[in-house]
Amino acid sequence: MTRLFTEFPKRISDITTQLTTQGIPLLAPVTPAAPPDPDDPWGSNHPAPPVDRTTLAWCTAVQMLADHHHTAVERQVLAADALLRELGVRGLAQLHSDLHLGAPIDYRFTRCPYCSGLGEDPTLPDCREVGCPPQYEFADHPHICPICRGEDYQPEWFAEKRVAELDGRLAISLGHGPGRTRWYRRLAQRSRKGR
């Protein structure tokens, strides 16, 4: 839990320091409403809401984009603004998937970019913000991370479990007992060493 009080504020302060040194405002300006287009059924004449660039979600999005594109943070500011305007905090999950070429992310093996593998919402919202039922309001319960959905990040434990599961499936598919699979694994290891 001490990581919660050090890692996330540090992420925010690092990003906001970079923005202020570049002269970029910490609140994205409200974009004016475009004139309505009668030919566009999905068009809107409402102004886009402002984006707070000091939130953990925005700082995470801009850092993910900057790391992926190997650019400075200030070059990804507008992209992070657009992402959070369009999709909100849950857009980070979509961004994470898109950065991995659209593949689904298994957060048991990949650290969540938002909560860093804690499984809880790092902003520590109260029950009113999340919309918990009234009976849970007085119970001390964690609110799961909106990105990884509270997935338990333990790659070592889950990898061992998955290897055992795949060994069982291999034995069944080959029509052999479980002891025979170890022979196939040793053979595969020897062939990898020979390369």
Side-chain angles (χ1 to χ4, degrees):
M1 207 48 142
T2 54
R3 198 172 87 193
L4 180 70
F5 296 112
T6 58
E7 179 181 334
F8 303 125
K10 183 179 177 342
R11 185 185 309 169
I12 293 170
S13 70
D14 288 348
I15 298 295
T16 53
T17 303
Q18 290 179 43
L19 294 178
T20 51
T21 13
Q22 295 295 325
I24 299 171
L26 297 180
L27 188 66
V30 178
T31 55
D37 182 8
D39 297 331
D40 186 8
W42 299 103
S44 171
N45 58 356
H46 297 290
V51 175
D52 183 4
R53 293 176 178 156
T54 61
T55 62
L56 181 62
W58 190 88
C59 292
T60 302
V62 80
Q63 190 65 57
M64 287 170 66
L65 288 163
D67 290 347
H68 179 72
H69 293 291
H70 305 290
T71 61
V73 167
E74 60 267 9
R75 300 219 32 217
Q76 301 299 330
V77 167
L78 297 178
D81 288 349
L83 175 76
L84 289 184
R85 271 194 187 116
E86 292 287 320
L87 302 172
V89 176
R90 294 187 196 274
L92 291 174
Q94 181 64 45
L95 174 63
H96 201 193
S97 175
D98 290 347
L99 294 179
H100 284 84
L101 304 174
I105 307 294
D106 189 348
Y107 289 108
R108 295 176 303 174
F109 296 97
T110 306
R111 190 179 299 274
C112 175
Y114 188 56
C115 72
S116 295
L118 288 175
E120 293 183 33
D121 192 334
T123 59
L124 301 174
D126 61 7
C127 289
R128 261 179 296 165
E129 292 171 349
V130 178
C132 293
Q135 63 265 26
Y136 293 125
E137 192 171 329
F138 298 105
D140 185 26
H141 68 279
H143 297 106
I144 62 172
C145 174
I147 309 305
C148 66
R149 308 299 301 155
E151 201 66 64
D152 192 12
Y153 174 69
Q154 291 187 33
E156 299 84 15
W157 187 83
F158 285 114
E160 196 174 299
K161 183 179 171 185
R162 183 168 283 174
V163 165
E165 180 183 318
L166 291 175
D167 277 349
R169 288 183 183 180
L170 179 64
I172 291 169
S173 69
L174 294 175
H176 301 292
R180 188 88 168 150
T181 332
R182 288 187 213 109
W183 178 82
Y184 289 115
R185 187 185 295 167
R186 282 195 309 269
L187 182 66
Q189 286 173 348
R190 277 190 224 134
S191 67
R192 273 187 248 134
K193 287 179 185 176
R195 291 183 192 169

